[in-house]
Amino acid sequence: APAVPKKEVFTTSQDLWGALQASVTSSVAGLLIPDEFVRKFTITVYGLSEGRLVAQSRPYKSPEGLFAVAKLADAPQAQFKLLPQNADRYAPYLEGLIWANSDAGIALYERAYPQLQAAFEELGIGKRSFHQVSIMAIDNLLAAPEVSADLVLEQPKTRYTYLDAEIEKLPAAHKLMLRIGAKNNLAVKQQLRQLRQRLVAIKH
């Protein structure tokens, strides 16, 4: 059978955004922010490749609902337990990752790649291609530890920190993988391993 010709690459960011919105589920579409999506996506992936979470340049909305904790002890410093229902806040993000790891997600990545690479080059960071950086970002997330015990937090100021100093020292991306809950952590890693195989098979 003759080879199926590859779909044309997107020529404008509007084309890319329209195709993305049409391809994902409504709950995933609702997470995404159109403003400078391509540039922010490349910044976010580059941050993840270094274990960082980029707060200002995210192409997606923050999780809905409150960060759920239960107080464990008062003295001398209050301690809190991270509650399992936090995991539910991340369901649409997992759905987005499952889409990224689908044939539709990979096809869209390939069509979007010239724009992604151009946006990444404009950032002027390093010699690697955006494709290499994407695989590094996946590797960084896959390296996050898995903790089955309850995660205990304290709140020295406004922000919660992990009581365990070893956990608190982890890169922000690894702490995120703990925050999403053990079950999500495993599900995300399963998707990321498959996505990594798909990306490695693409030559950019």
Side-chain angles (χ1 to χ4, degrees):
V4 179
K6 274 195 177 177
K7 283 188 174 176
E8 296 293 306
V9 295
F10 299 115
T11 49
T12 69
S13 52
Q14 285 86 352
D15 287 349
L16 191 163
W17 175 256
L20 178 62
Q21 289 282 300
S23 184
V24 296
T25 62
S26 57
S27 53
V28 174
L31 289 177
L32 304 175
I33 300 168
D35 181 41
E36 293 191 64
F37 179 81
V38 173
R39 187 180 73 86
K40 289 180 177 177
F41 181 75
T42 59
I43 291 170
T44 298
V45 172
Y46 178 68
L48 287 174
S49 77
E50 296 193 323
R52 293 181 294 108
L53 297 178
V54 184
Q56 302 305 320
S57 297
R58 289 191 302 206
Y60 55 85
K61 296 172 186 167
S62 298
E64 289 188 352
L66 292 170
F67 187 59
V69 296
K71 190 177 265 197
L72 290 175
D74 269 322
Q77 167 92 288
Q79 292 178 6
F80 305 86
K81 181 174 80 168
L82 193 62
L83 291 176
Q85 59 257 44
N86 275 307
D88 300 341
R89 302 165 70 211
Y90 296 96
Y93 301 87
L94 178 57
E95 206 178 306
L97 177 58
I98 291 167
W99 172 83
N101 185 29
S102 69
D103 291 347
I106 293 294
L108 198 131
Y109 173 77
E110 294 217 62
R111 292 182 70 191
Y113 190 76
Q115 279 192 52
L116 293 168
Q117 178 61 26
F120 183 63
E121 282 172 14
E122 276 174 28
L123 300 175
I125 34 184
K127 302 261 192 295
R128 291 189 173 89
S129 69
F130 180 71
H131 190 62
Q132 289 169 310
V133 166
S134 299
I135 293 167
M136 287 168 64
I138 290 174
D139 287 341
N140 199 303
L141 291 171
L142 286 173
E146 283 151 32
V147 178
S148 52
D150 284 339
L151 290 165
V152 180
L153 306 159
E154 53 187 1
Q155 195 178 20
K157 293 183 183 155
T158 51
R159 198 172 74 75
Y160 288 103
T161 56
Y162 290 100
L163 186 65
D164 184 329
E166 291 303 307
I167 292 179
E168 187 54 37
K169 278 194 309 202
L170 289 170
H174 288 189
K175 287 198 271 194
L176 171 66
M177 291 290 282
L178 295 178
R179 202 157 58 240
I180 66 178
K183 194 173 154 195
N184 278 343
N185 190 323
L186 291 173
V188 165
K189 285 183 175 179
Q190 183 188 4
Q191 292 296 324
L192 287 174
R193 285 187 197 100
Q194 293 171 0
L195 180 58
R196 189 188 194 284
Q197 287 180 326
R198 285 173 175 264
L199 290 181
V200 167
I202 300 169
K203 297 290 172 266
H204 277 305

